[in-house]
Amino acid sequence: MRQIPVDTSAATVMVAKMPQPKVKDRRTGEIATDAETGAKLMTVDVMFAANDEVEILSITVPEPGISGELTMGTPVALTGLIARPWENDFNGQKRHGIAFRAVAVTSLVATAANSKAA
């Protein structure tokens, strides 16, 4: 499946909703895990502002990749962000969209505090 790298260098990114476990099966409540590492997957909603446009993106990230306090409004860095187009057929209706995944979501608050202290 095609993966498209996303450049975040000119974007402002802030937490819109705190990390939540990614549910694999809504009926059973099973939590999704990374196929390669077995790590629990989390979903972090972020406000992504670039080119005079703002969007809320839901980003999937392995739980070990979440660092710092990620409360609403916290500025964050997205490491290894990719976009992956998807399409499926559900009850005879075609659906499509773009899924976003990152290696890490890191709070920039601790980084800013550490750089001021130095």
Side-chain angles (χ1 to χ4, degrees), residues 3 6 9-10 12 17 22-23 31 34 44 55 69 77 79 85-86 90 97 109 112-113 116:
Q3 296 183 12
V6 179
S9 61
T12 300
K17 185 176 178 185
K22 182 178 178 90
V23 178
I31 303 301
D34 184 277
V44 182
E55 291 189 56
E69 181 114 4
T79 304
W86 61 269
F90 185 73
V109 173
K116 287 179 185 176

Side-chain angles (χ1 to χ4, degrees), residues 23-101:
V23 178
K24 180 178 182 177
D25 186 333
R26 290 183 191 165
R27 289 172 289 149
T28 65
E30 180 184 359
I31 303 301
T33 57
D34 184 277
E36 293 177 17
T37 66
K40 181 164 77 169
L41 293 177
M42 304 293 284
T43 300
V44 182
D45 289 356
V46 299
M47 179 199 76
F48 190 92
N51 304 320
D52 295 325
E53 292 186 22
V54 177
E55 291 189 56
I56 301 295
L57 304 179
S58 287
I59 300 176
T60 300
V61 61
E63 189 174 39
I66 295 175
S67 61
E69 181 114 4
L70 300 185
T71 58
M72 189 181 297
T74 303
V76 292
L78 303 174
T79 304
L81 181 64
I82 57 140
R84 182 181 295 158
W86 61 269
E87 183 176 308
N88 65 23
D89 198 346
F90 185 73
N91 287 337
Q93 293 192 342
K94 288 223 180 261
R95 299 174 57 203
H96 63 277
I98 299 173
F100 293 93
R101 180 154 176 163

